[in-house]
Amino acid sequence: MEKSETKGKVLKKAVVWKDLYFYRKSDAIYQLTVEFCKRFLPARGDRTVDQMVQAARSGKQNIVEGSEDGLTSSEMEIKLLNVARSSLQELRADYHDYLNTHHLAVWPKESDRQQRLRDFCHSHNDYSDYEPLIGKMTDEEMANLLLTLCHQTDKMMCSYIEHLEERFVKEGGIKERMYAARTGYRQQDERLKALEAENQRLKAENEALKKRIERLEGGR
C-alpha cells in the first residue's frame, strides 16, 4: 500500500511551482499576451489591454501563491488555484471577443490546423518555445494559439485540483493534521506512563519477593 506523503507530518511537502507544467504554460500565456497586446491592440485608450494583461498575470501569480500557501492551508491552495482558473477563463473570453469583433475565425477543434496547434502546445510548455514564432504569426493565429494554451492549462489545473481535493478529504488540512499529531503524541505519552507504572510495580514486587526469601532463609 502506498504511504501518504503527509502521514505523521503537519506541514505538507513543498511543491516546486516552477516545475509544474501548468505553471510553465501560464507563464508562457502571460508573456505571449503581453506580446499580442503590443502587436495587435492600441498602445493607449483601450482598457482591453490592461484587462487581458492583468488576467494573464493573475492566472500565473495565483498558481505561485496557491502553491506556497499550500504548505499550511490546503483550502487556500485550492481556492487560489480556482482563482487562477477563473482569470484564465476571463482571458479566453477576451480572445474570443477579439476574434469575433475582428471577424476572424476560432479554429474548429476537428480542423487539421487546430489539431497541429493542439499537438504543438501539448508538448511545449515554455515561452522560449513560442518566442521565435511571435513575429511570424497573424493575430488570428496568435489568438487561437493562446486559446489552445488556456484550454490545456485549465484542463491540467482541473486534474491537479481534483487530486488536492481527494487528498484533503483523506488527510485533512493543517488543523486536522495538527490534531492527529497531538493525539498521536498524547497516546505515546500515555503508553510511556503506563509502562513506567508497570515497571515500578514490578520493582516493588521484586523487592517484596527478595525480603520474603530473606525471611525464609533466616528462619532455617
Side-chain angles (χ1 to χ4, degrees):
M1 182 181 293
E2 184 180 351
K3 294 184 178 179
S4 168
E5 63 183 22
T6 59
K7 187 175 182 180
K9 298 180 180 179
V10 172
L11 294 180
K12 296 191 302 182
K13 183 179 178 182
V15 174
V16 182
W17 47 265
K18 289 183 179 180
D19 294 340
L20 294 170
Y21 287 143
F22 60 81
Y23 168 76
R24 290 162 59 185
K25 284 187 184 295
S26 73
D27 182 63
I29 289 168
Y30 169 65
Q31 296 191 64
L32 286 166
T33 295
V34 171
E35 294 300 323
F36 180 89
C37 291
K38 284 180 182 178
R39 290 191 63 198
F40 303 115
L41 290 172
R44 292 185 178 84
D46 190 343
R47 293 184 60 189
T48 304
V49 174
D50 292 337
Q51 291 172 0
M52 291 178 70
V53 171
Q54 182 56 39
R57 185 179 185 279
S58 175
K60 176 174 74 81
Q61 288 303 113
N62 277 291
I63 293 172
V64 175
E65 293 177 19
S67 297
E68 292 181 346
D69 287 352
L71 284 173
T72 55
S73 174
S74 297
E75 291 179 86
M76 183 58 70
E77 181 178 16
I78 292 169
K79 179 179 179 180
L80 288 172
L81 290 177
N82 276 313
V83 171
R85 287 189 61 227
S86 296
S87 296
L88 293 179
Q89 288 167 2
E90 179 183 337
L91 184 64
R92 285 168 64 184
D94 286 331
Y95 280 113
H96 274 289
D97 288 344
Y98 179 91
L99 291 169
N100 290 334
T101 57
H102 289 77
H103 308 290
L104 300 172
V106 176
W107 297 350
K109 63 180 181 180
E110 65 276 5
S111 65
D112 289 339
R113 59 181 177 178
Q114 176 58 37
Q115 181 62 56
R116 290 194 301 270
L117 180 59
R118 190 159 57 242
D119 291 343
F120 184 84
C121 292
H122 180 74
S123 57
H124 295 82
N125 300 305
D126 301 309
Y127 174 69
S128 58
D129 298 323
Y130 301 94
E131 188 175 14
L133 307 175
I134 293 174
K136 303 174 184 177
M137 287 189 288
T138 65
D139 52 351
E140 180 178 310
E141 291 169 336
M142 198 166 181
N144 277 280
L145 166 69
L146 280 151
L147 284 173
T148 301
L149 279 172
C150 286
H151 177 70
Q152 290 183 355
T153 303
D154 184 71
K155 285 190 67 176
M156 295 170 77
M157 291 181 70
C158 282
S159 296
Y160 188 76
I161 290 169
E162 183 178 352
H163 165 71
L164 292 178
E165 290 173 339
E166 289 175 356
R167 189 170 67 187
F168 181 76
V169 170
K170 292 177 181 177
E171 302 170 5
I174 187 170
K175 291 180 181 179
E176 291 81 3
R177 292 195 297 276
M178 287 177 69
Y179 173 78
R182 288 195 300 269
T183 302
Y185 290 140
R186 283 199 298 269
Q187 290 173 345
Q188 186 177 33
D189 189 52
E190 289 169 359
R191 288 185 63 191
L192 287 172
K193 288 179 179 178
L195 288 171
E196 180 63 26
E198 178 68 10
N199 187 43
Q200 293 299 325
R201 187 184 65 79
L202 290 173
K203 283 183 179 180
E205 287 183 0
N206 189 44
E207 289 298 322
L209 285 172
K210 283 181 179 180
K211 290 178 180 179
R212 185 178 178 186
I213 291 171
E214 288 174 358
R215 286 198 301 270
L216 290 172
E217 289 177 346
R220 287 179 183 177

